[in-house]
Amino acid sequence: MMQLRVTKNYVGKLSLKSTKKRDDNLKLNLNVSFSEMSFTTTIDISLVSREGMALTLSFVTEFAVSGISIQELEKTPHPYVNGPTIAYPFLRAFLGTFTLNAGMDPILLPSVNFLALWEKSERKAELDAASNAP
């Protein structure tokens, strides 16, 4: 039976700057990388708060894997769905606490359906592959 275990959470990059730009949209990007018996999810976000603060954040979570080889795991949706689903609440808690301690209204990130994001990216990859086929 496959098991995932969080071994480390940390902020890889954080920037908070005053801006006149107003953009209520949360921009989120997910990257997954693999090593011998682990994988890492990096969730990059950018947004502008109600106070006009532009925030960019790169949140990294490392996972130990057992019960399945990394080569097999790479072919499954688990690193792209379960990994960020586990990591995202840590990111939300960090960001809310950080912004509150910075004297701002806490930024409360919305829920994200990582399964739907993965399915959308898989459909796009299939369409791209079909359009590039001879």
Side-chain angles (χ1 to χ4, degrees):
M1 171 157 89
M2 179 188 72
Q3 292 185 332
L4 304 178
R5 183 174 48 87
V6 174
T7 57
K8 195 183 294 185
N9 279 316
Y10 60 93
V11 174
K13 177 180 75 172
L14 174 64
S15 172
L16 186 63
K17 299 177 186 175
S18 179
T19 183
K20 294 186 188 300
K21 177 182 163 190
R22 293 289 184 250
D23 182 5
D24 292 339
N25 295 323
L26 169 67
K27 293 169 185 64
L28 184 140
N29 187 46
L30 173 67
N31 293 301
V32 178
S33 59
F34 298 89
S35 61
E36 190 172 318
M37 285 307 296
S38 65
F39 71 94
T40 301
T41 63
T42 303
I43 303 172
D44 297 314
I45 64 165
S46 63
L47 57 87
V48 177
S49 74
R50 288 187 295 263
E51 291 97 348
M53 299 299 288
L55 180 128
T56 57
L57 172 66
S58 180
F59 193 82
V60 181
T61 303
E62 297 177 5
F63 293 88
V65 179
S66 61
I68 189 172
S69 74
I70 289 298
Q71 294 78 15
E72 291 175 56
L73 183 66
E74 286 183 61
K75 299 173 188 172
T76 72
H78 295 294
Y80 310 97
V81 176
N82 297 31
T85 299
I86 293 167
Y88 192 68
F90 292 105
L91 164 60
R92 289 177 72 185
F94 169 80
L95 186 57
T97 303
F98 172 77
T99 53
L100 181 64
N101 288 341
M104 302 168 51
D105 287 338
I107 294 176
L108 305 174
L109 294 176
S111 297
V112 174
N113 184 338
F114 288 100
L115 177 59
L117 289 176
W118 177 78
E119 288 172 343
K120 183 179 176 182
S121 71
E122 286 296 297
R123 281 193 301 275
K124 183 180 180 314
E126 289 171 1
L127 290 172
D128 290 347
S131 67
N132 291 332

